[in-house]
Amino acid sequence: MTDTAPAKRLYIKTYGCQMNVYDSERMADVLRPLGYGVTDDPEWADLVVLNTCHIREKATEKVYSELGQIKLMKSRKAAGGGTMTIAVAGCVAQAEGEEIMRRQPAVDLVVGPQAYHQLPELIARAHRSTGERLSADFAADDKFDALPRDRHVTGVTAFLTVQEGCDKFCTFCVVPYTRGGEWSRPADDVVAEARVLAAKGVREVTLLGQNVNAYDGCEGGLADLARQLAKIDGIDRIRYTTSHPRDMDEALIAAHGEVPELMPFLHLPVQSGSDRILKAMNRAHTAESYVRLIEKIRAARPDIALSGDFIVGFPGERDSDFEATLNLVREVGYASAFSFKYSRRPGTPASAMPGQVATQVMDERLQRLNALLQEQQEAFNRSVVGRTEPVLIEKLGRNPGQIGGRSPWLQPVHIEGPERLIGQIVPVRLDGATRNSLSGSLVLETV
Ligand code: 5AD
Ligand code: SF4
């Protein structure tokens, strides 16, 4: 995101999940009325926000090393008579609080995910105060009510947060501690925001939540919300992420078969294929119940593509458990996936479990799992070659004369075509596939 000719320059660096991408956009929204425009160069920024992620340990350490770099920029700016305010937001802010300022005194303020609407006030206070630094009060008040509805829209797709937090307490995960309990935004608010987005040219919304399918901001849950959003003129595509298998209820499965706007792509993390490990993870599903769930979803929407998250090297994971994960992957067949080495997060139950797995073993398992998942992703991409499918054109391509969009299955598609098609859903013949994307050509009538 880059704005032109701002009075003050705001640099936001986003780590982690799509929820954070969305939050960063909203922070830019609340700061815009104060004269902040977004820059992608931190060196001369007046305000630097690191929107952090805490889910794996490396991410936290990356934040501290980035802060070291930014501190140098702040010093260089101060030497030239300028100022730079440094803010840390997101889950590291939530988890570490004041500790961040102790470890890196150049930080001016720390603000947790529930308090972004307070950013203007916090920044004003940071400017006024000399010497004294502040941190946010992490009270979970109504963040969304206080944020402007009138969002700054930069493209034809947009994220829309509908749910936050998690009560599932998977034993490896910090989210229930950093983002708090499950909370859903009232459906009327979501629909109102989606209307604003549609009026600004957005054609596709991705509903976000740590446990988005646990959404209960209206009586009929996420299925009902999707049906309401599908009725809005201009909203032609609806996606949602991330879901938990245990909240994938009959109504939502049925909606996949009945609401054409719901795209045939579902991110449904399983984490492991071993029941012993799933139990230790407190996932509340077995490998078999997950596979049966996938079968049901496929019965409702036969062309649905699956995506998942996997952890290798959870404490106590034996070779046979890992083999069970590979078998589950082979049985389900994924169109895309994320796989992670288990990361020991202090305070979570798994961090104290016996049988922590050696890094080398994790590395080997991750490599094998990735090889299989990549093979599946490539095979999935190849499977659509030769077909003509609707592609939402999102942006100009990398080379002149190229445009880029997404298939219904979230595959990036590169096409030769005119800029004026941006924002349209056009039939595209899919000609070629690589592991990560497709190439296609416009079907003649649309040119
Ligand atoms: N170690 C490794 N991966 C983790 N995830 C969450 N916590 C951890 C952890 N401690 C992964 C899960 C989750 C995704 C967002 O991040 O797979 O689905
Ligand atoms: Fe973390 Fe599990 Fe909640 Fe997902 S469902 S956010 S992995 S605790």
Side-chain angles (χ1 to χ4, degrees):
M1 4 174 199
T2 301
D3 296 348
T4 46
K8 282 178 273 182
R9 278 163 294 203
L10 163 66
Y11 172 77
I12 306 187
K13 176 149 186 170
T14 309
Y15 300 79
C17 63
Q18 282 168 331
M19 183 75 90
N20 269 13
V21 174
Y22 173 89
D23 280 344
S24 290
E25 286 173 7
R26 304 308 303 269
M27 283 190 256
D29 286 344
V30 288
L31 292 167
R32 196 165 288 108
L34 294 186
Y36 284 99
V38 173
T39 171
D40 44 26
D41 180 9
E43 188 74 38
W44 300 106
D46 300 290
L47 170 61
V48 170
V49 179
L50 298 189
N51 189 10
T52 61
C53 171
H54 192 242
I55 208 154
R56 285 170 293 277
E57 187 183 9
K58 273 214 189 100
T60 312
E61 284 314 308
K62 251 194 251 160
V63 170
Y64 281 110
S65 95
E66 183 85 23
L67 281 173
Q69 298 297 311
I70 290 170
K71 180 196 164 184
L72 297 178
M73 295 178 199
K74 182 172 181 162
S75 308
R76 282 198 287 274
K77 222 174 158 216
T83 57
M84 178 189 280
T85 305
I86 303 177
V88 179
C91 294
V92 173
Q94 178 76 32
E96 310 239 320
E98 305 250 308
E99 173 63 19
I100 297 174
M101 293 180 176
R102 263 196 300 278
R103 258 183 84 173
Q104 182 44 273
V107 172
D108 296 284
L109 61 104
V110 176
V111 53
Q114 305 303 329
Y116 294 149
H117 57 287
Q118 294 172 2
L119 255 182
E121 190 191 335
L122 289 169
I123 284 159
R125 268 165 42 203
H127 281 289
R128 266 202 310 274
S129 68
T130 41
E132 195 206 348
R133 290 190 310 271
L134 323 139
S135 78
D137 156 11
F138 288 140
D141 48 336
D142 217 342
K143 162 170 143 181
F144 295 109
D145 274 359
L147 291 172
R149 272 244 175 91
D150 192 16
R151 285 178 55 182
H152 184 71
V153 171
T154 49
V156 300
T157 63
F159 292 127
L160 189 47
T161 292
V162 303
Q163 185 276 339
E164 276 218 43
C166 180
D167 300 333
K168 304 294 191 286
F169 290 92
C170 299
T171 53
F172 52 79
C173 186
V174 289
V175 167
Y177 309 97
T178 55
R179 290 272 175 166
E182 285 172 8
W183 178 84
S184 294
R185 190 175 175 198
D188 290 349
D189 282 8
V190 177
V191 170
E193 186 167 337
R195 285 215 174 90
V196 171
L197 293 173
K200 293 186 170 194
V202 168
R203 307 291 306 275
E204 173 180 304
V205 288
T206 300
L207 311 179
L208 292 183
Q210 262 93 27
N211 258 289
V212 72
N213 59 341
Y215 177 81
D216 65 354
C218 58
E219 219 168 275
L222 193 64
D224 186 43
L225 180 67
R227 287 176 197 273
Q228 290 188 50
L229 293 171
K231 287 192 196 124
I232 298 174
D233 264 354
I235 301 294
D236 297 317
R237 290 183 165 194
I238 301 169
R239 305 179 187 276
Y240 60 91
T241 194
T242 291
S243 295
H244 193 294
R246 75 167 104 161
D247 292 317
M248 206 65 219
D249 62 17
E250 299 289 337
L252 189 52
I253 295 172
H256 273 283
E258 292 162 14
V259 180
E261 287 83 357
L262 260 183
M263 288 293 98
F265 181 91
L266 182 62
H267 183 64
L268 197 60
V270 64
Q271 313 295 358
S272 168
S274 155
D275 288 346
R276 210 171 59 81
I277 296 298
L278 287 168
K279 193 158 184 229
M281 286 177 163
N282 189 32
R283 288 289 295 177
H285 59 78
T286 61
E288 199 201 325
S289 69
Y290 178 84
V291 169
R292 253 192 271 116
L293 176 61
I294 301 290
E295 281 166 3
K296 258 196 204 166
I297 299 166
R298 282 186 167 143
R301 179 83 205 226
D303 67 340
I304 202 156
L306 271 300
S307 153
D309 290 344
F310 298 88
I311 295 178
V312 299
F314 183 83
E317 187 186 69
R318 302 181 195 131
D319 280 342
S320 55
D321 298 308
F322 176 64
E323 292 298 332
T325 299
L326 294 177
N327 284 338
L328 180 131
V329 170
R330 288 187 196 106
E331 188 166 357
V332 171
Y334 286 90
S336 74
F338 300 97
S339 41
F340 309 102
K341 279 187 278 184
Y342 169 69
S343 164
R344 198 171 181 174
R345 312 304 293 121
T348 58
S351 69
M353 286 180 187
Q356 300 285 327
V357 175
T359 309
Q360 199 199 334
V361 175
M362 287 206 253
D363 286 337
E364 283 164 14
R365 288 180 186 166
L366 187 68
Q367 231 178 355
R368 283 184 65 199
L369 177 60
N370 273 341
L372 176 61
L373 289 167
Q374 282 170 7
E375 200 181 287
Q376 291 194 341
Q377 180 167 329
E378 201 168 336
F380 176 72
N381 285 349
R382 274 198 312 267
S383 75
V384 299
V385 169
R387 300 199 330 227
T388 296
E389 298 289 352
V391 171
L392 170 57
I393 308 296
E394 294 178 9
K395 55 186 182 197
L396 287 175
R398 223 176 273 149
N399 303 319
Q402 268 190 356
I403 48 179
R406 295 262 182 183
S407 77
W409 303 279
L410 210 57
Q411 298 148 296
V413 189
H414 309 293
I415 311 154
E416 302 287 323
E419 184 176 354
R420 68 179 162 77
L421 293 182
I422 292 174
Q424 292 190 40
I425 296 171
V426 294
V428 170
R429 199 185 60 237
L430 302 170
D431 301 319
T434 64
R435 186 197 296 163
N436 296 316
S437 65
L438 302 171
S439 56
S441 29
L442 294 170
V443 174
L444 279 177
E445 305 89 81
T446 52
V447 185

